[in-house]
Amino acid sequence: MDLVTREGEFLVLLGPSGCGKTTLLRMIAGLEQPSSGEILIGGQVVNDLPPRARKIAMVFQSYALYPHMTVFKNIAFPLKAQGVAKEEIPKKVAWATGLFGIGHLLERKPRQLSGGERQRVALARAVVREPAVFLLDEPLSNLDAQLRTSARDELQQFQRRIGITTIYVTHDQIEAMGLGDRIAVMQGGRVRQLGTPAEVYGEPADTFVAGFLGSPPMNIVEAAADRLVGFRPEHFLPREVHDGSGALVALGFRVTRVEYLGADRLLYGVLEDKFPGAKVIARLPSTVTLPYEGGRRYEFAVPEKELRFFDRTSGLRTAPRPV
Amino acid sequence: MAALLDSPRWLGVLMIAPAVLYIVLVVGLPFVLAILYAFSGVTMGSRTIEFVGFKNFISVLETTKFQTSLRNTFVFALIAQVLVMVLGTVLAMALLKDFRGKWLVRLLILLPWVAPISLGTIGWLWILDSTYSVINWTLEALGLIGADGWFMWLGVPYLAMGSVITIHVWRILPLATVILLAGLTSIPHDIHDAAQVDGASFWRHLFQITLPLIRPIMLVAGLFGLVFAFTDMIVIFVLTRGGPYDTTQVLASLAFFTGIQAGDLAEGAAIALFLFPLLLAVAVAFLRVARRAEVT
């Protein structure tokens, strides 16, 4: 694998569990040794350096706060370990806790904190020694859904403000899309694609990326013996809904089931005519009010420019072809 | 009967009864008897018990034998327990890491605990024997001592105390190690990773992260070991019988020799009970601290 971050960038490692993203992060941190290859931080090979010499800071999924220390001591710990002068420590701790608004919690122990507060303490502890790289391992996964949204927002603002290169591991594509400047989609220990959220979503490099991103994922059907064609559920709409600009590919769609999700409706069914028997999903925004029911056939279409082609054996993206 | 077993109340009583009975008969009764004896003039041949108050305690306190034994008890128990805690922590930390032949090391460390203690100690009796000592033989073979420089491991005061402490440590170490290992395993791995990333050196990591986190369990191991060292006499009984000149005599062995072998049950009981208030206080203090220790 070959991966280069840009200065001050927010890079997300995204992939299913077991794809090696956490292992990669731990190798960057120096907690695990790569069997081969080099890791560079700030242009310097750090393979043989212990974690403490790498100028990195890491936030763990469990936050890994020291349970027997107060918040103040937790945040001061990396400073003391680095040999920062005693009178400097309270100032730096005050600065870091100020960033996250946890100045009133200094005397508490971790078990007296809520999930969100623990996460902020972990972030403050990581940021307090001003690292060159900031490593985050699923820091939001222990928060409840409501808190996660606001924490995501805060995290991004904070990263923009301090401008430290950040590598963020997650299996949650919404987090990845929302936070990342660029996303590295990983599977089986490899980077399948590296690009901006729009690139990995709109121009997937292979069928894995196409199938992993998006909820529901891209519909992928067999176009020919050697070729697959994919299209996003939100582009697969009733013919009359398309605005008529650009060429359309018409598809007969037999709906088997309708799922009402509030903001959208999901129509499950199979294609007829062109790719007979292929199971696909259509995602209709709530602005489309046409009635649909299971068991009937409807005329749907996909804009031709929204079709993505893949090689059938390698799964890799290929040039567009007529269908 | 069926109705009895169906009632949660009576079933509970029934289930706990064997344990209560066991403790009352094997621990409680002898303990009460010991207290009775200690305040009486009873000897091996007595048929009646007459109470004499604190006379036994006062008379044993005045003997030099008792004073020496009291001092030896503290020296023996404290040194042994400090060694056990330090070595146990080191061993537990070593066993936490993965290395080749770990199972063998674990087996060897656990061996003293599984082997019957008197057998193991008799083995040591030969190892430390004045004529056949394999240690002396090895030292001589290595040229470190001459043929006339053999150590009398059990025959010289300080060496004898050193020997019994060493064997006691050898024997208690497995238990302490296993308890401490359990404590170390319970620390989430992320905590260690975080300390490493935070730049903690080995010693800072040990003293500020690892040891504080296993403090409650260390206290438990320490309490058990300490009470055990204060009250046990098997090693001393087999190796030195308190000798030479009572330099390894401890209260437990003195109580046995006085009460059982010399037949003065009352004085023996008084000696045995002498440290009971102290040990009780130690136990209560330890358990309180252990409960207060804030670790989650």
Side-chain angles (χ1 to χ4, degrees):
Chain A
M1 125 171 3
D2 202 355
L3 195 59
V4 179
T5 66
R6 296 177 190 145
E7 187 66 36
E9 141 177 88
F10 201 119
L11 177 71
V12 177
L13 305 179
L14 173 67
S17 55
C19 72
K21 54 196 192 299
T22 296
T23 307
L24 175 62
L25 198 73
R26 291 173 59 85
M27 282 182 190
I28 299 170
L31 294 169
E32 264 163 60
Q33 282 299 315
S35 49
S36 64
E38 286 185 333
I39 296 164
L40 288 89
I41 296 175
Q44 184 195 6
V45 178
V46 296
N47 280 41
D48 296 325
L49 291 181
R52 73 182 111 109
R54 293 191 180 195
K55 291 191 209 142
I56 46 126
M58 187 158 170
V59 175
F60 295 82
Q61 188 171 4
S62 64
Y63 310 138
L65 299 177
Y66 307 125
H68 57 298
M69 295 185 190
T70 61
V71 168
F72 178 88
K73 284 188 174 162
N74 260 283
I75 300 171
F77 186 80
L79 297 175
K80 284 187 192 155
Q82 273 184 328
V84 171
K86 239 196 176 97
E87 57 278 11
E88 283 292 304
I89 290 177
K91 284 185 220 157
K92 293 208 173 201
V93 171
W95 167 75
T97 50
L99 276 179
F100 297 99
I102 49 170
H104 58 293
L105 303 174
L106 288 180
E107 293 312 315
R108 299 241 193 118
K109 293 259 176 88
R111 62 183 169 76
Q112 298 165 308
L113 302 176
S114 69
E117 287 166 344
R118 282 181 207 187
Q119 187 232 6
R120 285 166 201 214
V121 174
L123 285 167
R125 184 177 69 181
V127 83
V128 73
R129 67 201 131 127
E130 299 163 70
V133 186
F134 208 39
L135 306 174
L136 303 163
D137 186 4
E138 310 226 9
L140 304 184
S141 63
N142 282 336
L143 301 180
D144 56 50
Q146 224 172 357
L147 205 55
R148 207 177 298 175
T149 314
S150 62
R152 202 162 68 208
D153 182 46
E154 279 173 27
L155 197 60
Q156 191 172 37
Q157 283 185 16
F158 148 76
Q159 198 270 345
R160 294 270 179 276
R161 201 161 57 213
I162 60 167
I164 295 175
T165 308
T166 301
I167 303 179
Y168 184 102
V169 160
T170 184
H171 66 269
D172 182 332
Q173 47 171 306
I174 299 175
E175 259 171 47
M177 302 289 276
L179 283 170
D181 291 324
R182 288 192 303 162
I183 298 175
V185 184
M186 292 183 61
Q187 191 223 5
R190 286 166 197 283
V191 174
R192 287 308 186 96
Q193 187 174 5
L194 173 63
T196 63
E199 280 165 6
V200 291
Y201 187 79
E203 308 292 338
D206 59 20
T207 49
F208 173 78
V209 178
F212 187 70
L213 288 172
S215 171
M218 186 179 266
N219 295 305
I220 295 177
V221 300
E222 276 180 42
D226 62 337
R227 186 152 42 98
L228 302 170
V229 63
F231 50 88
R232 292 274 173 205
E234 63 268 29
H235 297 138
F236 181 52
L237 296 173
R239 268 193 96 136
E240 54 266 46
V241 175
H242 287 285
D243 59 6
S245 65
L248 290 179
V249 176
L251 296 165
F253 182 37
R254 184 164 292 279
V255 174
T256 53
R257 198 160 65 87
V258 180
E259 234 173 52
Y260 175 74
L261 298 179
D264 328 86
R265 263 182 303 171
L266 297 183
L267 308 186
Y268 295 79
V270 287
L271 294 181
E272 292 182 345
D273 313 335
K274 210 158 235 158
F275 309 109
K279 284 190 177 176
V280 292
I281 303 171
R283 178 175 175 173
L284 272 52
S286 59
T287 47
V288 177
T289 52
L290 302 164
Y292 290 96
E293 53 188 83
R296 292 186 53 185
R297 181 196 152 107
Y298 300 92
E299 296 307 317
F300 271 54
V302 180
E304 205 171 341
K305 64 175 172 39
E306 300 298 348
L307 293 179
R308 303 288 179 261
F309 295 85
F310 303 94
D311 185 86
R312 196 173 162 179
T313 39
S314 67
L316 292 176
R317 189 77 182 274
T318 58
R321 309 230 194 122
V323 284
Chain B
M1 190 65 191
L4 202 66
L5 286 180
D6 279 340
S7 142
R9 216 186 117 146
W10 285 105
L11 187 65
V13 171
L14 214 63
M15 289 294 188
I16 198 90
V20 172
L21 218 60
Y22 177 85
I23 291 175
V24 167
L25 291 180
V26 183
V27 183
L29 209 58
F31 180 66
V32 173
L33 270 181
I35 295 177
L36 284 180
Y37 287 174
F39 292 98
S40 76
V42 73
T43 63
M44 275 294 196
S46 314
R47 287 159 176 265
T48 52
I49 291 186
E50 31 141 351
F51 288 95
V52 295
F54 282 90
K55 182 173 152 275
N56 293 318
F57 292 93
I58 294 163
S59 79
V60 292
L61 259 174
E62 283 167 352
T63 63
T64 43
K65 209 178 176 75
F66 177 83
Q67 291 160 5
T68 318
S69 301
L70 187 61
R71 200 177 51 237
N72 288 343
T73 306
F74 276 90
V75 170
F76 174 78
L78 294 179
I79 295 185
Q81 196 49 26
V82 167
L83 285 174
V84 164
M85 293 313 284
V86 172
L87 295 175
T89 309
V90 171
L91 268 179
M93 285 179 65
L95 287 176
L96 204 58
K97 298 243 187 312
D98 275 317
F99 55 88
R100 277 170 66 105
K102 180 169 162 176
W103 66 271
L104 184 70
V105 177
R106 272 196 181 185
L107 182 75
L108 288 176
I109 288 171
L110 275 178
L111 218 50
W113 189 251
V114 236
I117 177 60
S118 41
L119 274 187
T121 314
I122 289 171
W124 280 105
L125 194 59
W126 284 102
I127 294 174
L128 300 170
D129 189 273
S130 55
T131 318
Y132 304 107
S133 170
V134 67
I135 304 175
N136 282 337
W137 184 87
T138 310
L139 289 175
E140 192 187 327
L142 290 172
L144 293 171
I145 56 171
D148 54 349
W150 279 40
F151 292 107
M152 306 273 281
W153 295 111
L154 301 173
V156 180
Y158 287 108
L159 273 183
M161 186 50 115
S163 297
V164 292
I165 288 177
T166 307
I167 311 311
H168 181 81
V169 168
W170 166 83
R171 176 198 173 192
I172 299 299
L173 196 53
L175 179 69
T177 305
V178 170
I179 294 177
L180 292 170
L181 191 58
L184 288 174
T185 325
S186 71
I187 302 177
H189 207 271
D190 274 359
I191 300 266
H192 293 304
D193 285 344
Q196 237 186 314
V197 170
D198 281 345
S201 64
F202 174 81
W203 296 111
R204 185 181 291 274
H205 193 151
L206 178 66
F207 284 110
Q208 292 189 6
I209 306 289
T210 309
L211 292 186
L213 285 177
I214 60 166
R215 198 176 64 157
I217 223 152
M218 282 182 99
L219 285 171
V220 171
L223 165 70
F224 278 132
L226 202 60
V227 172
F228 200 78
F230 265 117
T231 55
D232 186 60
M233 56 164 262
I234 295 184
V235 170
I236 287 171
F237 182 75
V238 174
L239 287 184
T240 64
R241 306 207 169 226
Y245 328 113
D246 287 331
T247 48
T248 58
Q249 196 75 270
V250 292
L251 291 186
S253 57
L254 184 66
F256 176 77
F257 289 128
T258 313
I260 308 296
Q261 297 211 319
D264 192 344
L265 279 178
E267 254 184 38
I271 296 169
L273 279 181
F274 193 81
L275 283 184
F276 174 72
L278 175 76
L279 291 182
L280 191 69
V282 169
V284 170
F286 262 114
L287 290 177
R288 284 194 141 187
V289 176
R291 197 184 311 155
R292 246 207 334 253
E294 290 175 358
V295 170
T296 39

